[in-house]
Amino acid sequence: MDRHISFDALHNFRDLGGYSADAGRRVRPGLLYRSDSLGKLAVGTADWERFLSLGIRTVVDLRYPWEIDGRGRVPDHPSFSYRNLSIEHRPYDQAALTPDIDPGPYLAERFAEVAQDGTKEIREALEAVAEAARADEPLVFHCASGKDRTGLLAALVLGLLGVDEPTIVEDFSLTELAAPALLADWRDRNGGRSPVWPAFGRAPARIMRLFLADLTARHGSIAGYVTDSLALDADALADTLRTHLLEPAPAAAPPLTYRKAVPADATALTRLHDASALWQLARGIRDWRPGGKDEAHFRTRMTEGEVWLAFAGDHLAAACELWWDDPVHWGPRPPEAGYVHRLMAASHTAPRGTGRRMLAEAEARITAAGRPYARLDCLTTSPRLRAYYEAAGYTPLRDQQIHHPTTGRTYEVTLMEKRLG
């Protein structure tokens, strides 16, 4: 399941529901949304009808009035109220920055300025979220790209809800999935030219990680910032948000259905891969990177092997590649094994245990093909992944250095095997 909600004109509209919080609870879906500019919505379009169908009762626009004058605002409708809470901050033009500027420390410093300069509007925005939560009414907040001001507010709300820091960092970095479309929009508005800054529109995890570290150094925690700088009762605010925006996590996983992927699934597989890569990066795991596998890769794997999908209801929950030989990692071998690659589950939205069930489905396919072994590999720098597969019954055989004949990349993997049947 892709956390982004699909619109034609909006590229970064997301439900904050489904994230795990404290005490075995999760954020309730369908109540709190974040987005890029809703000024791109137009009455009478499919986008407009899709937006209205979400039942949103409050729109909080974090942009400056001059941005709204130039780019428009969400159209009026009797079903929701509109509030412009322009977060004040020292101006900066990201598109005009020079290529040598590192987006991590630069934007983390700008976020710190926004947190210092925009206290009045941030306080009012948090109060608006709490008011909507008490009324059990959906709310959306947005800025221009749904990245910086929106990302800061989302981090504060998630932190008060008891969501852990890696998940907050991951939520920020999911803008990476929307970055190409946001860049295309900028080019359309600027005569086809590109921003000077190559990092324009990007949301690497390091930005939010550095910002939260600075906030903690200054105030001790997000709650400390809310108390010290916003003059709010952080405990009371957190209690309100947790009472109304959290729910018990589902106790039982729903059944999964499986099918073999077809070429039309390549786009969804690429999105799932990139989202999985962002989940890893937010937790310091560097095995994958967004953009590392494109649609052509998955179509090739469908031709040369198999790709299997798992669905929870109508939503894509997991996928994996199943190869029938793997000479790059294992050398020439008789037809005695199936090789599992790119096991990936939709973080936060897939039922608990989905990855293990996807792996078991791949093993069942290998057994049905009459092969007694399931094999896979993981980077030697990934002890967490190795432990995951060991818990699933895989035995480490040896470490092996690989020089990939296609990419030219050199890396070291642990080869792992499981006897089936």
Side-chain angles (χ1 to χ4, degrees):
M1 178 182 175
D2 194 334
R3 183 167 288 278
H4 283 80
I5 296 175
S6 179
F7 288 86
D8 294 327
L10 306 178
H11 311 303
N12 207 11
F13 194 106
R14 292 187 254 144
D15 189 344
L16 288 173
Y19 287 132
S20 296
D22 58 359
R25 295 177 291 176
R26 69 171 189 175
V27 183
R28 292 172 60 192
L31 281 179
L32 193 58
Y33 300 94
R34 54 176 294 174
S35 181
D36 48 331
S37 173
L38 298 182
K40 293 182 280 188
L41 292 174
V43 175
T45 63
D47 272 2
W48 182 239
E49 296 305 317
R50 189 175 298 116
F51 176 75
L52 294 179
S53 73
L54 298 173
I56 288 168
R57 296 293 178 262
T58 304
V59 173
V60 176
D61 189 340
L62 304 175
R63 296 175 299 159
Y64 281 118
W66 61 263
E67 293 177 275
I68 298 168
D69 291 342
R71 303 273 301 282
R73 48 152 284 186
V74 65
D76 285 316
H77 194 272
S79 66
F80 60 81
S81 62
Y82 171 82
R83 296 185 65 179
N84 178 212
L85 300 176
S86 167
I87 295 183
E88 299 297 319
H89 61 86
R90 281 156 265 188
Y92 57 96
D93 182 359
Q94 293 188 37
L97 297 175
T98 54
D100 60 299
I101 294 178
D102 184 339
Y106 178 83
L107 284 179
E109 290 175 6
R110 304 292 78 74
F111 280 26
E113 291 175 356
V114 172
Q116 295 168 23
D117 297 348
T119 53
K120 176 178 180 293
E121 295 80 18
I122 294 171
R123 179 173 61 248
E124 291 176 353
L126 287 175
E127 290 172 333
V129 171
E131 181 181 345
R134 280 191 292 266
D136 203 33
E137 294 179 347
L139 173 146
V140 60
F141 54 92
H142 75 90
C143 54
S145 296
K147 176 172 74 78
D148 300 331
R149 291 162 287 187
T150 296
L152 188 154
L153 182 58
L156 297 179
V157 172
L158 292 174
L160 291 168
L161 284 170
V163 174
D164 64 21
E165 182 172 314
T167 302
I168 294 172
V169 171
E170 177 195 354
D171 178 73
F172 171 77
S173 71
L174 284 175
T175 291
E176 289 279 288
L177 302 181
L182 294 170
L183 178 59
D185 278 357
W186 191 93
R187 287 172 174 153
D188 287 344
R189 296 193 306 270
N190 291 273
R193 64 186 179 90
S194 295
V196 176
W197 197 34
F200 176 83
R202 301 291 304 278
R206 188 172 175 224
I207 297 171
M208 182 56 65
R209 193 176 288 116
L210 289 171
F211 167 68
L212 291 175
D214 177 75
L215 198 75
T216 300
R218 292 170 184 263
H219 303 284
S221 65
I222 287 175
Y225 165 75
V226 170
T227 299
D228 297 344
S229 295
L230 305 186
L232 287 172
D233 185 333
D235 290 339
L237 177 59
D239 183 65
T240 295
L241 296 178
R242 295 181 189 196
T243 297
H244 298 284
L245 291 178
L246 296 183
E247 65 181 8
L256 297 177
T257 58
Y258 303 92
R259 70 167 172 84
K260 189 184 291 188
V262 297
D265 296 314
T267 299
L269 283 162
T270 303
R271 296 275 293 189
L272 180 59
H273 172 272
D274 289 351
S276 298
L278 293 171
W279 183 94
Q280 292 182 16
L281 289 171
R283 289 155 180 81
I285 304 168
R286 302 188 176 276
D287 288 14
W288 296 358
R289 59 179 177 81
K293 301 297 177 186
D294 58 12
E295 293 184 21
H297 165 85
F298 289 105
R299 285 193 290 267
T300 298
R301 294 319 315 164
M302 294 174 208
T303 301
E304 298 182 359
E306 299 176 4
V307 179
W308 284 88
L309 311 177
F311 289 86
D314 295 331
H315 301 299
L316 179 61
C320 73
E321 299 173 11
L322 183 54
W323 301 11
W324 297 115
D325 65 346
D326 187 0
V328 170
H329 296 91
W330 290 83
R333 304 297 291 261
E336 61 189 3
Y339 301 84
V340 180
H341 285 270
R342 256 158 300 285
L343 175 66
M344 47 195 180
S347 59
H348 311 292
T349 58
R352 188 172 181 84
T354 291
R356 185 69 62 83
R357 288 194 280 168
M358 182 81 258
L359 183 58
E361 178 68 13
E363 292 165 0
R365 299 289 167 184
I366 296 168
T367 299
R371 301 192 178 198
Y373 296 102
R375 291 174 179 154
L376 49 80
D377 64 81
C378 62
L379 293 177
T380 55
T381 53
S382 298
R384 287 179 59 180
L385 192 56
R386 171 173 165 162
Y388 177 85
Y389 288 125
E390 285 187 283
Y394 285 78
T395 301
L397 300 182
R398 65 182 182 278
D399 292 344
Q400 177 126 340
Q401 189 175 71
I402 306 295
H403 182 73
H404 201 283
T406 303
T407 66
R409 178 172 163 239
T410 298
Y411 51 96
E412 190 170 278
V413 298
T414 299
L415 301 179
M416 307 183 74
E417 179 180 87
K418 180 178 182 179
R419 174 82 185 195
L420 303 176

